[in-house]
Amino acid sequence: MSYHFDQPIDRYHTDSVKYNIFDDPSTIPLWVADMDFVSPSPVIEALKTRIEHGVFGYAFENKPLRELLVKRMADLYNWHISPDDIVWVPGVVTGFNMAIRAFGRMGEEVLIQTPVYPPFLSAAPNNGLFTKSAPLVYTQQDGVLHYHIDMDVFQSAIIPGKTKTFLFCNPHNPVGRVWTEAEIRAMAEVALENEMLIISDEIHCDLLFDNHRHIPTASLSPEIARNTITLMAPSKTFNIAGLGASFAIIQNQALRNRYAEMVWNAGLHINILGLVAMHAAYEHGDDWLRQVLAYMQANRDLTTQFVNQYLPNMPITHPEATYLTWWDTRAVSRPPTQNGFMGMFEGFFLDKAKVALNRGITFGAEGEGFVRINLATRRDLLQEALERMRSAIIDG
Ligand SMILES: Cc1ncc(COP(=O)(O)O)c(C=O)c1O
């Protein structure tokens, strides 16, 4: 089946946080990470069938869904898990907060790599712990930013006995890196040496461009698997984030039992429609996924080309994964403006271009002067947004 991503879809008045946070329909929202695309048809059909049943009591997942995930991990990553390794959680942010709550002790540190998805910064303090950052470093070539890990920075950020958890973003939001096996292995081994639990957020694992391949952290060795909680979800991949259905994979039984108990006792359960959508998406959604990735990759390419051509003193990432780009706007002089709802938006672009972008500082101190842009939208709307941003920068 052929999908068309160029169709205009009015998302105002659909309880969409991306749109409904603005009163003004002329604002182009390129912020929160969801797509302006209709989900795969098999997902919609499965939901319709389930809705027609009309009874929506508490959910309990079916065995075939576990088997499907076991097969997916083996097929995609040669990673062999067992059906019992899976623990359902309503969301990935909930999932890593619960992991820190279950295994962190008051006063310990959680290591993160800034700039990073803002809930990574709040996860430790939410649960009585401290955030410690080992910032990523970047190089710049021909207007493109390339981020990597400096292992000296990583290692020296760890205080043995105190930095006990590593919250890892793999692939990384917002810098768009697909980490290599060598990078993941180096960090995982340092984590083992320092008895540091790894929580590996792999929510973006299916959103890969070019021929990049995702490597689940826990797939690297049995020792690393025993020390890792992996979080995945169909939510970003198939644009069903509003349905609240994600999962943890925990191969260490002691960790899994403690984690599952914590999740259960907190009353966190998966949404029944989310479960149905997840099953249909993983079973029948890959054709749609291939097509949407090709569309978003073309959006990425035209964005990089546009910025390099018209805004040459604004380096940006050319993401290997995620449909998000990260722009260094520090060379662009901007008058001070209000930064939108809870300081989340970059005021200059919101005021002058009516384009809503995530403000870099919310991703950590290293994000100061940067903005994050969501490319998962109709091409003509993206082009309009780019043009508006260009004029705002040129005209001041
Ligand atoms: C790295 C990362 N983790 C988690 C989430 C959100 O997950 P959820 O909506 O399942 O809590 C996002 C959303 O953008 C993300 O980028």
Side-chain angles (χ1 to χ4, degrees):
M1 163 168 196
S2 179
Y3 290 96
H4 301 285
F5 303 106
D6 280 323
Q7 279 164 357
I9 300 168
D10 182 3
R11 294 188 63 195
Y12 274 99
H13 319 296
T14 63
D15 303 318
S16 148
V17 65
K18 190 177 187 180
Y19 283 81
N20 286 21
I21 208 163
F22 307 106
D23 292 329
D24 176 5
S26 66
T27 299
I28 302 179
L30 303 183
W31 64 292
V32 66
D34 72 24
M35 304 177 188
D36 291 333
F37 307 131
V38 171
S39 290
S41 303
V43 170
I44 294 164
E45 289 311 312
L47 286 170
K48 279 186 186 159
T49 306
R50 185 63 187 80
I51 283 169
E52 274 163 17
H53 182 259
V55 181
F56 306 110
Y58 290 112
F60 187 77
E61 97 296 340
N62 57 39
K63 265 211 178 106
L65 178 56
R66 282 182 187 258
E67 299 292 352
L68 187 65
L69 292 174
V70 168
K71 183 170 179 324
R72 191 172 176 88
M73 297 306 136
D75 292 349
L76 292 180
Y77 314 120
N78 197 24
W79 182 24
H80 301 284
I81 63 164
S82 114
D84 292 339
D85 295 340
I86 297 164
V87 181
W88 307 106
V89 281
V92 167
V93 172
T94 307
F96 61 64
N97 271 278
M98 289 321 267
I100 292 170
R101 186 165 305 182
F103 303 111
R105 297 227 162 76
M106 289 273 206
E108 285 177 2
E109 291 177 342
V110 175
L111 189 66
I112 59 170
Q113 294 169 299
T114 47
V116 73
Y117 177 57
F120 275 50
L121 282 95
S122 46
N126 278 346
N127 297 289
L129 287 79
F130 297 101
T131 303
K132 174 63 90 58
S133 182
L136 297 173
V137 293
Y138 64 84
T139 52
Q140 196 204 124
Q141 199 183 2
D142 301 328
V144 173
L145 295 170
H146 187 78
Y147 278 82
H148 53 101
I149 295 154
D150 179 329
M151 281 309 292
D152 289 337
V153 171
F154 187 81
Q155 243 161 329
S156 59
I158 298 166
I159 302 174
K162 187 169 163 85
T163 319
K164 296 282 288 172
T165 308
F166 172 34
L167 179 54
F168 179 35
C169 198
N170 174 28
H172 193 280
N173 167 10
V175 308
R177 273 299 313 281
V178 174
W179 304 114
T180 63
E181 178 174 341
E183 286 169 318
I184 301 170
R185 195 176 287 284
M187 290 184 290
E189 280 171 3
V190 170
L192 284 177
E193 282 157 23
N194 288 281
E195 296 180 355
M196 206 166 59
L197 175 71
I198 303 172
I199 304 170
S200 191
D201 176 336
E202 303 189 8
I203 196 168
H204 293 281
C205 63
D206 298 301
L207 298 167
L208 308 174
F209 298 134
D210 310 312
N211 289 317
H212 285 286
R213 293 189 67 78
H214 173 68
I215 301 173
T217 306
S219 70
L220 288 183
S221 76
E223 294 72 35
I224 297 170
R226 272 196 292 280
N227 189 45
T228 301
I229 294 176
T230 305
L231 292 159
M232 288 184 176
S235 50
K236 298 281 142 193
T237 313
F238 300 103
N239 204 28
I240 51 176
L243 291 174
S246 312
F247 56 97
I249 299 174
I250 311 175
Q251 290 165 285
N252 176 325
Q253 193 183 348
L255 291 184
R256 186 172 65 246
N257 289 348
R258 172 80 190 105
Y259 185 79
E261 182 184 66
M262 174 74 95
V263 167
W264 176 267
N265 288 344
L268 298 172
H269 47 81
I270 200 159
N271 180 303
I272 200 156
L273 295 179
L275 208 51
V276 168
M278 180 191 299
H279 200 146
Y282 283 136
E283 194 158 28
H284 303 293
D286 284 334
D287 176 32
W288 177 92
L289 179 58
R290 266 187 297 279
Q291 296 182 46
V292 84
L293 283 172
Y295 189 87
M296 295 192 298
Q297 184 168 316
N299 278 0
R300 175 201 65 171
D301 293 348
L302 82 82
T303 301
T304 306
Q305 210 177 357
F306 181 95
V307 174
N308 287 172
Q309 184 172 351
Y310 295 111
L311 301 164
N313 57 2
M314 193 163 70
I316 67 171
T317 56
H318 188 67
E320 300 166 342
T322 82
Y323 47 74
L324 308 161
T325 55
W326 179 244
W327 295 12
D328 179 356
T329 65
R330 285 174 297 179
V332 175
S333 71
R334 289 161 294 168
T337 41
Q338 291 290 325
N339 289 309
F341 183 74
M342 288 169 64
M344 277 195 305
F345 303 116
E346 182 58 42
F348 172 76
F349 291 110
L350 193 56
D351 287 354
K352 303 283 179 200
K354 294 209 172 182
V355 178
L357 307 176
N358 288 90
R359 204 170 149 229
I361 188 76
T362 62
F363 294 73
E366 293 72 22
E368 174 97 61
F370 287 70
V371 291
R372 194 194 71 173
I373 290 141
N374 177 347
L375 302 172
T377 195
R378 255 167 46 215
R379 191 153 307 142
D380 63 321
L381 205 59
L382 176 64
Q383 281 165 324
E384 158 95 28
L386 292 171
E387 190 44 49
R388 285 195 206 172
M389 286 189 271
R390 187 186 74 84
S391 317
I393 290 169
I394 306 284
D395 303 339

